[in-house]
Amino acid sequence: MPITATEIERMLRESFPQAQISVEGDDGAHFAAQVIDESFRGMNRVQQQRAVYAALKGKMDGSNGELHALALTTRAPA
């Protein structure tokens, strides 16, 4: 069963409840997400993205992952 943008957003909200989150995409495999959260302050971009991938709980793991591509933008609030 393909993953949905709504499901991705729900998973991200579990880890980043105060974040500004937007997820776009409707083909079930390729999405774009923006996550703006205070917890990212002081982290470099790689650390921020690793935190987001961890929140996705293995949905992107290898060829068996439900989520095949995620264009990700992360930052702390201005």
Side-chain angles (χ1 to χ4, degrees), residues 2 13 19 21 25 35 38 42 44 46 49 55 58 64-66 68 74 76:
R13 288 223 177 272
I21 299 172
V35 183
E38 185 61 39
N44 66 39
V46 171
Q49 292 185 356
N64 294 327
E66 295 175 58
H68 297 285
T74 59

Side-chain angles (χ1 to χ4, degrees), residues 8-19:
I8 294 168
E9 183 174 345
R10 180 189 55 74
M11 293 174 74
L12 293 174
R13 288 223 177 272
E14 287 177 9
S15 294
F16 306 102
Q18 302 301 316

Side-chain angles (χ1 to χ4, degrees), residues 22-76:
S22 66
V23 180
E24 297 178 359
D26 61 3
D27 71 353
H30 303 89
F31 297 88
Q34 180 179 53
V35 183
I36 302 170
D37 192 64
E38 185 61 39
S39 70
F40 295 149
R41 192 163 310 282
M43 290 182 176
N44 66 39
R45 191 162 307 228
V46 171
Q47 292 168 321
Q48 293 172 17
Q49 292 185 356
R50 284 181 180 159
V52 171
Y53 291 140
L56 294 175
K57 301 174 184 160
K59 297 293 185 185
M60 291 192 74
D61 289 350
S63 60
N64 294 327
E66 295 175 58
L67 179 56
H68 297 285
L70 179 65
L72 188 55
T73 302
T74 59
R75 66 177 174 86

